[in-house]
Amino acid sequence: MKVATHQLRCTECGARIAGGAVNSIFRCPICNGLYDVIYPWSTLPDSDTPASDSNLPNVSALRWLWQERRTSTMPIDQSGVWRFRDLLPIVDDLDHVVTLREGNTPLYDLPRASKALGLDWILAKHQGMNPTGSFKDTGMTAALSVARERGFEWVACASTGNTSAAMAAYAARADLRSIVFIPEGKIAWGKLSQSMDYGALTVQLRTDFDGCVRVLTELVSRFPIYLLNSVNPYRLEGQKTPAFELLEQLEWQVPEHIIVPGGNLANGSALAKGFSEMQHLGLIPRIPKVSIIQAEGANPLYRSLQENGGEELIPVKANTRATAIRIGNPASWRKALRALRTTGGWCEQVSEQEIALAKAEIGFEGIGCEPASAVTLAGLKKLVAQGKIGSEERVVLILTGHTLKDSNYTIDYHRGELFTEAEDAEISSDDQVLHTALRKPPIVLEPDTDTVFRELESKMKLIHA
Ligand code: F0G
């Protein structure tokens, strides 16, 4: 079945090209800008594309169709990405779709965090519940399907871990070969183990993420290898679909705020595109504010906004324990800026201590997430303290990665071994109380019933009759 009806449009100079005409680095040859995927029916905030929905069912029919597909046994219907394929016509032949039934992720409430912050409700859309444990799967199913359709045998990415795990899994499913560049010693072991398990050629480079990107760019320029970093706009088409799924889960009631972590700075813009398309098609009457939170040690967008209003990116030498977002020279910073401006969201930065506390709090809600995802709650606290988010406003945190991705971080935190003494000294006394209450280090005991009971009694404050 022929379904693809898209073009690529440069986000800088507006030049349009056919999808198949794009170069190997996904950059506009005129101005080096990144591309957006556009459709006859879609419009982007600064686009002059006229709206036309002639090829689409009406809004009620679309909603009905998306629900109906949930009951189907077809893999593309069971995918929480391809279920929305009417707004994702990027492959000519749906037989080329590579899916692990991604998406369909839960939306949880965070009652303790809501109470502590005095907000009516905070929800968490847990993208870490995807097949490889991160939101990258929603983008990888889309871009890997395009790679397969275009006949590539090899795919590659540079990664702080999650992209490589997702790419390796989807490449394996598609019977393609994959090459991963990761910064040596600077990604969580869980993620590295995944790309090996899924059969990728895994290359650890003695550099940071930004150094890996430089080598990768050269590689794909010289060899017929399909680039799967988030400069590839098809990735972002998949990553916009959680916005559709979220609104469906909320019965099409639009929340006021969406908060995402910022690393290479693509995901916030992908979600914002999803919201804008829904608004344009009349699925929702307005869009939520999309805010982006960076770690203090990897804060190029935050710094640039503070120092030059976002005119120029100020790259930084990135350093944070939230390794997934340890990126100093993010490729998609202009797209992120556009997302902030079109939705009215903010960019904030949070410290290592704030990230760890937020992560422990999300864990204590029975949910858990990886450190990079916890910046969302830490950032929310700041936005509330600054009066930018009111008590009656509804907030959705996008938790991007699974808690088991970085178990070393979690163990170090609970054992009280995560921070240096200097970092520990910076924590306010109020937050120290919270840390102490949340830390649950394991207790090592001899297997003697009396000893165990005595210890439990003291911990549980049991009173025997
Ligand atoms: N959260 C997690 C868990 C991530 O892995 C990433 C990015 C982000 C947030 C940031 O998203 O880059 O779109 O701003 N990880 C990449 C990787 C870069 O290689 O896995 P972004």
Side-chain angles (χ1 to χ4, degrees):
M1 184 172 73
K2 280 262 177 197
V3 289
T5 50
H6 74 276
Q7 283 188 312
L8 301 183
R9 177 177 174 278
C10 174
T11 51
E12 302 295 318
C13 71
R16 291 176 198 202
I17 56 168
V22 70
N23 59 21
S24 60
I25 56 168
F26 292 96
R27 295 265 179 188
C28 173
I30 305 165
C31 68
N32 207 36
L34 296 178
Y35 288 105
D36 276 325
V37 179
I38 55 166
Y39 308 102
W41 47 264
S42 71
T43 190
L44 293 162
D46 53 351
S47 163
D48 56 357
T49 310
S52 152
D53 56 0
S54 53
N55 292 328
L56 281 177
N58 69 34
V59 165
S60 318
L62 268 181
R63 287 181 184 168
W64 177 85
L65 189 61
W66 293 341
Q67 277 297 332
E68 275 299 297
R69 286 178 183 154
R70 279 181 181 278
T71 59
S72 155
T73 53
M74 278 170 63
I76 52 165
D77 287 344
Q78 290 181 347
S79 160
V81 170
W82 295 99
R83 199 158 62 78
F84 301 102
R85 59 186 172 272
D86 315 273
L87 305 190
L88 191 72
I90 54 173
V91 288
D92 280 332
D93 184 345
L94 289 174
D95 287 343
H96 289 134
V97 165
V98 190
T99 175
L100 284 164
R101 323 294 187 271
E102 52 291 315
N104 302 312
T105 58
L107 185 63
Y108 298 119
D109 61 339
L110 297 182
R112 290 172 189 159
S114 310
K115 193 161 170 239
L117 277 174
L119 298 186
D120 287 349
W121 55 264
I122 306 173
L123 297 177
K125 173 95 175 128
H126 208 323
Q127 294 298 96
M129 300 299 184
N130 268 291
T132 77
S134 88
F135 73 104
K136 304 285 182 179
D137 294 345
T138 57
M140 218 40 93
T141 183
L144 221 304
S145 301
V146 173
R148 171 144 106 177
E149 184 162 273
R150 299 206 177 144
F152 282 89
E153 285 173 26
W154 285 87
V155 294
C157 71
S159 179
T160 55
N162 283 318
T163 297
S164 53
M167 183 190 72
Y170 283 83
R173 294 299 296 175
D175 208 10
L176 305 186
R177 301 297 313 279
S178 62
I179 305 171
V180 161
F181 289 114
I182 49 166
E184 195 204 4
K186 295 181 190 120
I187 75 164
W189 288 114
K191 300 170 190 175
L192 176 60
S193 69
Q194 284 180 288
S195 60
M196 295 189 292
D197 209 29
Y198 302 137
L201 187 51
T202 304
V203 185
Q204 293 179 271
L205 295 182
R206 292 195 188 90
T207 176
D208 54 12
F209 171 82
D210 304 300
C212 290
V213 169
R214 277 194 299 277
V215 176
L216 175 70
T217 307
E218 279 291 307
L219 181 82
V220 298
S221 305
R222 292 199 212 161
F223 298 98
I225 299 173
Y226 194 66
L227 175 66
L228 281 172
N229 272 48
S230 53
V231 291
N232 181 325
Y234 298 110
R235 281 258 320 265
L236 305 195
E237 287 307 285
Q239 285 175 216
K240 79 183 178 187
T241 62
F244 307 154
E245 190 176 272
L246 171 68
L247 264 296
E248 195 181 50
Q249 287 168 313
L250 292 173
E251 297 181 336
W252 305 99
Q253 301 299 307
V254 187
E256 276 71 35
H257 300 276
I258 306 291
I259 305 189
V260 298
N264 215 15
L265 293 176
N267 197 38
S269 73
L271 294 171
K273 185 172 190 279
F275 291 121
S276 296
E277 288 183 0
M278 278 190 282
Q279 183 190 26
H280 177 65
L281 291 171
L283 281 155
I284 53 174
R286 58 181 179 81
I287 56 174
K289 290 188 171 74
V290 175
S291 293
I292 299 175
I293 314 296
Q294 297 200 294
E296 269 178 21
N299 64 352
L301 182 65
Y302 176 83
R303 265 188 71 181
S304 308
L305 283 165
Q306 296 298 309
E307 291 179 26
N308 61 38
E311 281 297 306
E312 284 301 324
L313 184 76
I314 306 173
V316 302
K317 187 91 190 131
N319 192 15
T320 168
R321 292 183 184 85
T323 50
I325 52 173
R326 198 178 203 272
I327 296 174
N329 191 13
S332 297
W333 70 276
R334 282 191 199 276
K335 282 192 178 182
L337 204 59
R338 186 184 67 186
L340 294 177
R341 289 185 176 147
T342 53
T343 69
W346 298 280
C347 180
E348 254 305 333
Q349 63 169 358
V350 290
S351 70
E352 295 294 297
Q353 297 92 329
E354 288 165 336
I355 296 171
L357 182 58
K359 177 171 147 45
E361 288 169 324
I362 293 166
F364 198 58
E365 300 258 11
I367 293 174
C369 64
E370 73 162 281
S373 311
V375 302
T376 54
L377 178 59
L380 171 62
K381 291 184 197 175
K382 288 208 158 161
L383 295 174
V384 171
Q386 292 161 4
K388 289 176 174 156
I389 294 182
S391 60
E392 71 299 341
E393 294 185 304
R394 293 157 302 175
V395 182
V396 180
L397 309 180
I398 307 294
L399 301 184
T400 45
H402 198 281
T403 186
L404 294 177
K405 286 274 182 177
D406 196 350
S407 46
N408 283 351
Y409 180 105
T410 311
I411 291 165
D412 287 349
Y413 173 78
H414 287 281
R415 286 192 171 140
E417 293 166 5
L418 189 67
F419 302 131
T420 61
E421 267 179 39
E423 284 174 322
D424 222 25
E426 285 166 7
I427 300 174
S428 70
S429 48
D430 282 355
D431 280 359
Q432 280 293 11
V433 172
L434 292 174
H435 281 295
T436 307
L438 286 163
R439 280 196 180 109
K440 306 285 178 218
I443 313 159
V444 182
L445 295 175
E446 293 306 322
D448 163 64
T449 316
D450 282 348
T451 317
V452 173
F453 280 19
R454 237 190 341 270
E455 185 65 25
L456 288 184
E457 200 174 24
S458 76
K459 293 281 180 226
M460 296 165 73
K461 299 194 175 41
L462 285 178
I463 300 166
H464 288 297

